[in-house]
Each structure stands twice: as C-alpha cells, then as structure tokens.
Amino acid sequence: MTDTIIVYILFGAFLLLLLLGAPITVSLGVAALITYLSIGENPMAFVQMAFTSVGSFPLMALPAFILAGALMEAAGISKRLVDIAEAFAGPVTGGLAAATVFACMFFGAISGSGPATTAAVGMLMIPAMANRGYDRAYGSAVTASSGGLGVVIPPSIPMVIFGISGMGLQPPPEAVALHGSFQTLSIPKLFIAGIFPGVVIATCLLTINYFISRKKGYRGLTDQWSFPHIRTTLRKGVWSILAPIIILGGIYTGLFTPTESAIVAIAYTLVVGIFLHKELKWKPAMRTLETTTWITGRVLLILFTATVFGRLLVEQRVPAHIAEAMLSFTDNLYLIWAMIIVFLLFVGMFMETLAAIMILTPVLLPIMYMLGVDPVQVGIVVVCALAIGFQTPPLGENLFVASGIGGASIEEISLKALPFAAGSIFAVFIIAYFPEISLWLPRMMGY
C-alpha cells in the first residue's frame, strides 16, 4: 500500500467522523486504528504507543497547574491580583478595561489556562465594568480577548503540551546539513520565551482599548493615581504577587522543574488560602478537584489518541511532503510564516487548542527546521496564534465563559471582540517576524 493511500485513509476517516459529529478524541483514535489495521500492523502497538504518551513525567504538570489555578481563585488570590491591577490603572482612559488586561496577565502567570483566566477575572471585572457604564458586550469582549494571555504568559498548559510533542521530533538530517545543529527544546525554555510575546500581545490589546474607550467616553477609575491606595492593595496582595514569583523564579533558577513547580504552587496556595487569607473553604476546594479531574481527563484522552495519529503522520513522511510542497512554492521565510499563521488562525476557530497542538506539531516543526527556525520560536508562535481561537467563534471557549458571566449574547461579544482579535493577529506577526522577541531572554538566562 502506497504512502498516499495510507494518508487518504487516515485523513478521510478523521474528517468523515468529524462531519458525522464524533468527538475529536474518537475521530483521532478511530482514524488511527483503521489506518493501523489497513497496513497490517498489530493493534497492540497502537495501544502501547498511546499508553506511553500519557506516562511522561512532564505531563504531570498538566493536572497540577489546572488544580493550582482553580485553588488560587477559591483562595482569594485572583481577587487580590485584580485589586492591584485596578489600583495601577488609576486615571487612564478605559482604566477598568485596562485593569482587566493586566489582571489577565497576572492570573495567567499562575493558571496556564485561557478559559480559567477568563472565568477568574471575568467574575470580578465584567460586573464592575457594567456598573461603571461600560457596555456589557464590550466588557465581556475585553475579558474574553485578554483571557488568551493565560496560555501565553508562563506557566502555560499549551506550552507544556507543545514541549512534550516536540521534544521527540529530531531535526531532519537535511536541515542539520543546511543550518547546522539546532538548540534543544525544553518546557522551561518555552516558559521563559513566552514572557515578552505576552507583553507584546497585551500592549496591542491595551492600545486598542485606549482608542475605543476614548471614542466611547469610558473614563478612568479615578482623577489621579492614589499612591496610598496602591500601597494598600500591594500590602493586601503581597501573598498573591509572590505566587508567580515563586513559581517562575523556581523554574528559571533551576530550583525545581516545571512539574515540581506546579506541586509547589498547590502547596503554596493551600497555605495562603487556609492560614493567611483564610478564604479557602471545604466545598469550594472540593469543586476545584472536580474541575481538575474533568479538564485533565479530557486532555489526556485527546493526547492518548493524538499521539498515535501524529506518529502515523511522521512514519508516512506527511510532514516531509508538506515541507517539500511549501518550499517548492516559495522559500521566503516571511511568506511561509504568513501561510502558517493564517492556517493556525483557521484551525483555532474550529479545534480545541491542545488537540491542534498535538496534531500539528509533527507537521510544522520539520517544515520550520528546514528553514532554520528555532523550535522554541515555532512553539511560541503556534501557541500565540492558536490562543486567538479562544476569542473567535464558532469554538471560542472564552466567548462562552464571558457570555455566561456578563449576560451578553455570543454574537454581540464576538462583534466587539473583532478589533482585539485584529490586534492579537498583528502581534503574532510581529512575534513571528522578529524572533529575538522570543529568543533573547532564554539566551540571556543561559538556555
């Protein structure tokens, strides 16, 4: 059986099942199994490969970061971060919406999840914006758009998944012959590389918010900055500010791994929530366990089947064929980046971020290796581009979360979110075209 026929079977079965309404996990698994059987492979190899995919040590960071983020919301840490963001926004035009962007950056530094960031910040900020005269749909749109920072600002669950997916993919010999050896890919390095891109995206969101707020007359929270108020919020929120410092500082100094840092985050949150803030109660804590179990189970099922699907792609040299086709069309790096970003934006509109990363990483990395692009930069651009899918319909998880909190319809929020989506896309192109934005800080820190 030729490689072309095998690819037709793999993608044909996958797309057919999606059209029939099957969940993406079932579509990936069944398509891979049908392909395995059609080429005469032992189905036990399918199961063993899938089981191995969910047994890696770095993957333990996934449920731990999800639980840490949920516990921090229940422990009052997220509320104090929002208060600090509001205090610093002060008299800035559209200050409350700007505070929402800053709050999403702060909470993103401890949650690693887009919808979790939107929910935690939105519960506090969307009603506050409505009470200040902001249009509810606009307040929800700002929150949904800023929630995507939760997966760009480290720690980031999608970066963990990209790291796991990409670490097993070695650069093709042709790429090494052309460009020499490549830098290694690691999760701590991805985390460090995400800091400045997150700032770039946030800056674009803040700029767009400023011009819209000036046009609509959304004034600042106060007439001038109140330094006593800033000092008070910082004093009350000192334990909240220390959370991302401890998590990220421990990773970057080598004190513990990303997986261990997630456990440290859970322990820190329990101590702060129970003994310092005294806000972490039994029932909310139990709900965080339910949330963690549900989200983790869903992700692991996708990973279980997506790993086998991706392995089949690599074995049948699908990435190599796509790379050859793209490079025969053009070898202009900027044009190829543009095609990849547009493709990722399209995929992000219809496919869950983690599933898209697991499916596309084996395809995209070999292409970019052939062009001499650092795998860390590839990971950052992939995560940033797919994060925009959180705020674009029809999937748009952040839109549904913001709609549930604010009460505005998905259609209204989507319309108000368009300028922010455009700003985020502009930021992704800047990040792709200027690799030093992603790579300078890891290099300065010795990675």
Side-chain angles (χ1 to χ4, degrees), residues 3-194:
D3 291 349
T4 305
I5 294 174
I6 293 170
V7 171
Y8 284 151
I9 294 171
L10 183 65
F11 280 100
F14 175 63
L15 294 173
L16 178 62
L17 287 164
L18 282 180
L19 290 172
L20 291 174
I24 192 164
T25 306
V26 175
S27 302
L28 288 168
V30 172
L33 182 58
I34 290 171
T35 307
Y36 256 83
L37 294 173
S38 67
I39 59 179
E41 290 280 351
N42 186 346
M44 284 304 297
F46 172 95
V47 177
Q48 289 168 352
M49 193 187 305
F51 182 77
T52 304
S53 71
V54 295
S56 63
F57 177 71
L59 195 59
M60 289 178 61
L62 175 68
F65 274 129
I66 293 171
L67 178 59
L71 282 171
M72 284 175 182
E73 183 183 353
I77 288 177
S78 59
K79 182 180 184 301
R80 285 164 175 80
L81 291 175
V82 168
D83 290 341
I84 292 169
E86 287 183 356
F88 276 99
V92 174
T93 300
L96 203 52
T100 302
V101 178
F102 283 119
C104 286
M105 289 181 70
F106 292 153
F107 193 76
I110 53 178
S111 81
S113 166
T117 300
T118 304
V121 176
M123 289 291 289
L124 302 168
M125 299 304 287
I126 294 176
M129 282 188 275
N131 291 337
R132 288 270 182 171
Y134 283 72
D135 178 70
R136 274 192 175 271
Y138 181 75
S140 300
V142 172
T143 310
S145 302
S146 306
L149 292 169
V151 301
V152 180
I153 301 290
S156 163
I157 294 169
M159 286 183 193
V160 172
I161 298 300
F162 182 88
I164 293 168
S165 303
M167 281 189 284
L169 296 171
Q170 297 302 316
E174 303 95 318
V176 176
L178 279 171
H179 306 288
S181 60
F182 287 83
Q183 293 291 318
T184 56
L185 181 65
S186 70
I187 293 170
K189 191 173 178 181
L190 283 166
F191 281 1
I192 298 170

Side-chain angles (χ1 to χ4, degrees), residues 252-275:
Y252 301 156
T253 57
L255 193 61
F256 37 72
T257 67
T259 303
E260 292 164 346
S261 75
I263 308 302
V264 170
I266 292 171
Y268 178 83
T269 304
L270 289 173
V271 170
V272 172
I274 295 171
F275 299 108

Side-chain angles (χ1 to χ4, degrees), residues 232-250:
T232 301
T233 56
L234 286 172
R235 189 178 67 251
K236 289 181 179 179
V238 64
W239 298 111
S240 301
I241 296 171
L242 280 176
I245 293 174
I246 291 171
I247 295 168
L248 300 177

